[in-house]
Amino acid sequence: MPGNTLDLWAWLLSALGALSLLGWAGFCFIRWYRADTETRVSLRQARRMRWGWKRLAPMLDLAVKDTTPTQLQQYGPQNQPAKPRVLVPRLHTRADPFGVTVTADALPQAGLSAWQDATEGLSDAWGMRRIRISQPKPGVIVARGFRREPLEAVIRSPLLGPDGSPVCRPGQFVSTDDVLLGWDEDGTPIVLNLAYSAHALVAGVTRSGKSITVNTLLAYASLMRDVRLIVIDPNLGAVAPWWRTAYKVSDATHPDEPTEILRWVREEMQRRERLFWSGRTDRITEFSPELPLLLVVIDEVANYTRHPDRKARERFEAELLAIAGQGAKFGIRLWLLTQKPSADVLTTAVRTNLSARICHRVDTIEDFLHLFPDGRDLDITAADRTMPQGVSIASVGDMRTPVRLRSVHLPTEACWKINDLMCAEGLKVRELPDHIDLDKAA
């Protein structure tokens, strides 16, 4: 009987070990299967880094010799000197499309300064373009290795599959979901949360990549079941893909029609005032299909604020100022887009209420300073003719310091395909303009 019990325990331990190994293998397979092509390259590189670490660490003085005798050595022959042990920091890796992040223990005499001195050697051994060393807390070293620069990499939007076709569905998101705008120069994702954000200003000259950033905003908002999208665009560039499904649209070049839309938004704000009494709050933070968040996007806002019809222009600016000043607490999110964010395009009263800022390439430093008044003290600027298309200077959400942002790639053609899916689900609220034949346009 005792022998059978021991055999049973041995069998159970063997089974548990096999199950653990199987679970680990399954986890690795799923991580590999879900990864994109670039992340798979990083996963292979991370595996090579772990395999060669015990040999590499002593070569770069990142290992420590421990001469403390073990218990066996203490009670063994005293005439034999204790053989020092080599302590190598434990290594954990995390792969992403840009490279590998290494987390390691900081050992005595192999702390932050030792890792910083070994940066060049680590770059060569790990095949990285650059490595950034940091110490987020005592005893922990983080080495961020970059195979490719995040600001140079063009990454497809997560709304699209490998072949560029949509992998999203209507109503998939809600306003509290984070929207991935892109990555900063360290590969950190920059996200926007419509429910908890406020108004925003996006600037940039033609062909600077501004429309790609706006495409991401409009696509996610269209797929949110508790958001109503309102788009005003005299050039049709932003509004055309969403013409059939957006709650309200306008491509008028005269300010009167956009002013009527903004007046309706302000009336909706007034209707929502009673919620402050019933909800005992000073800001609407919960949204639903019955009480949706209203996202108002106005492209080429200078077309209306600098219109030659002075009275019409003033009416438009009055409604715009009312929404910018009070709309956020009523569940309104105002996004204004312009090529030149100068004072004659947007008044200071309006601009100060646009807390989120995204600045693609602009012509002058003055244009940049209109978005970031302390821009002369920053190490980065958007007034740079060499600034790549799709890269911007951004301050979004909880970000206090502006960073370089590479927007995810969502072309206008993909926006049309996403809108086709929405129409197929019965979400179309209007036809295209009478003079537009979609089959011929396609």
Side-chain angles (χ1 to χ4, degrees):
M1 188 72 175
N4 292 337
T5 303
L6 291 176
D7 292 342
L8 179 60
W9 277 108
W11 182 86
L12 287 174
L13 290 175
S14 299
L16 288 174
L19 288 175
S20 299
L21 182 61
L22 184 63
W24 178 81
F27 169 77
C28 293
F29 173 77
I30 292 173
R31 182 175 60 173
W32 178 271
Y33 178 77
R34 291 182 174 179
D36 56 80
T37 302
E38 292 294 338
T39 302
R40 289 180 179 179
V41 175
S42 298
L43 284 170
R44 288 194 294 267
Q45 194 158 357
R47 185 171 60 249
R48 291 193 297 269
M49 291 162 60
R50 293 194 300 270
W51 286 351
W53 177 238
K54 286 188 177 180
R55 182 181 179 185
L56 178 63
M59 297 170 59
L60 298 177
D61 294 330
L62 296 178
V64 176
K65 289 185 178 181
D66 183 10
T67 59
T68 305
T70 64
Q71 283 190 341
L72 183 61
Q73 292 170 341
Q74 288 178 357
Y75 294 102
Q78 299 298 315
N79 57 351
Q80 294 183 1
K83 185 178 179 180
R85 294 175 298 161
V86 178
L87 301 181
V88 177
R90 291 179 300 175
L91 207 66
H92 301 279
T93 59
R94 180 173 56 84
D96 58 53
F98 308 111
V100 181
T101 300
V102 173
T103 304
D105 299 326
L107 300 180
Q109 302 177 6
L112 179 62
S113 59
W115 279 81
Q116 291 173 337
D117 294 339
T119 299
E120 186 175 348
L122 290 172
S123 298
D124 294 337
W126 289 347
M128 298 294 178
R129 296 179 61 175
R130 67 180 173 96
I131 291 182
R132 180 175 59 84
I133 307 294
S134 62
Q135 189 170 20
K137 60 181 180 179
V140 177
I141 300 295
V142 175
R144 180 73 168 96
F146 296 91
R147 291 190 305 105
R148 57 177 184 162
E149 292 294 342
L151 296 184
E152 298 176 3
V154 178
I155 305 294
R156 184 183 292 113
S157 169
L159 298 178
L160 305 178
D163 60 350
S165 59
V167 292
C168 51
R169 64 182 186 276
Q172 177 179 351
F173 305 106
V174 293
S175 58
T176 53
D177 290 331
D178 287 337
V179 176
L180 176 63
L181 295 178
W183 289 268
D184 68 9
E185 58 188 319
D186 290 330
T188 303
I190 304 300
V191 298
L192 167 74
N193 193 296
L194 284 176
Y196 303 115
S197 65
H199 308 313
L201 174 60
V202 182
V205 298
T206 304
R207 309 300 300 173
S208 63
K210 183 178 59 187
S211 60
I212 298 297
T213 301
V214 176
N215 282 347
T216 296
L217 171 71
L218 298 179
Y220 273 95
S222 298
L223 295 170
M224 291 177 176
R225 55 184 178 270
D226 59 351
V227 172
R228 286 182 177 175
L229 179 61
I230 300 172
V231 188
I232 300 172
D233 177 16
N235 291 340
L236 275 176
V239 70
W242 314 106
W243 187 275
R244 295 170 293 173
T245 57
Y247 187 70
K248 290 182 179 293
V249 296
S250 175
D251 63 342
T253 57
H254 192 275
D256 281 351
E257 183 176 285
T259 301
E260 287 302 315
I261 293 177
L262 295 183
R263 185 172 292 120
W264 176 88
V265 173
R266 190 162 59 86
E267 291 172 354
E268 177 66 17
M269 290 164 48
Q270 295 173 352
R271 285 191 291 270
R272 295 185 177 191
E273 283 186 355
R274 61 181 179 82
L275 296 176
F276 288 177
W277 296 92
S278 60
R280 298 185 177 185
T281 181
D282 61 349
R283 182 183 177 91
I284 299 175
T285 57
E286 297 182 1
F287 303 97
S288 65
E290 294 74 27
L291 181 66
L293 181 148
L294 299 181
L295 176 62
V296 183
V297 179
I298 306 178
D299 198 0
E300 300 295 344
V301 67
N303 178 82
Y304 306 115
T305 59
R306 300 180 64 178
H307 198 275
D309 188 335
R310 182 177 61 83
K311 291 185 177 180
R313 180 180 72 227
E314 291 175 350
R315 290 193 296 268
F316 176 86
E317 290 181 329
E319 298 295 338
L320 187 67
L321 178 59
I323 295 173
Q326 299 292 326
K329 65 181 182 180
F330 291 99
I332 316 297
R333 303 294 182 265
L334 180 66
W335 280 64
L336 303 183
L337 286 61
T338 182
Q339 293 190 30
K340 197 173 183 64
S342 55
D344 58 338
V345 172
L346 290 174
T347 63
T348 303
V350 171
R351 196 166 56 244
T352 53
N353 285 287
L354 309 176
S355 56
R357 307 287 176 91
I358 301 177
C359 186
H360 290 267
R361 181 170 56 85
V362 291
D363 287 329
T364 65
I365 187 64
E366 285 73 21
D367 292 336
F368 180 64
L369 294 177
H370 279 111
L371 277 87
F372 301 102
D374 57 347
R376 296 187 188 277
D377 299 328
L378 299 176
D379 296 330
I380 52 180
T381 179
D384 182 0
R385 296 188 181 276
T386 63
M387 194 170 184
Q389 185 180 17
V391 175
S392 61
I393 310 299
S395 176
V396 181
D398 296 331
M399 295 166 49
R400 294 292 181 264
T401 303
V403 297
R404 293 186 180 93
L405 164 68
R406 159 66 77 170
S407 299
V408 296
H409 187 62
L410 183 64
T412 301
E413 295 79 6
C415 293
W416 278 98
K417 293 179 181 179
I418 294 174
N419 196 251
D420 290 338
L421 292 178
M422 298 178 63
C423 292
E425 291 288 330
L427 299 178
K428 182 167 65 174
V429 298
R430 72 180 61 80
E431 298 290 342
L432 291 173
D434 295 337
H435 63 284
I436 299 296
D437 187 328
L438 187 57
D439 294 331
K440 292 181 180 179

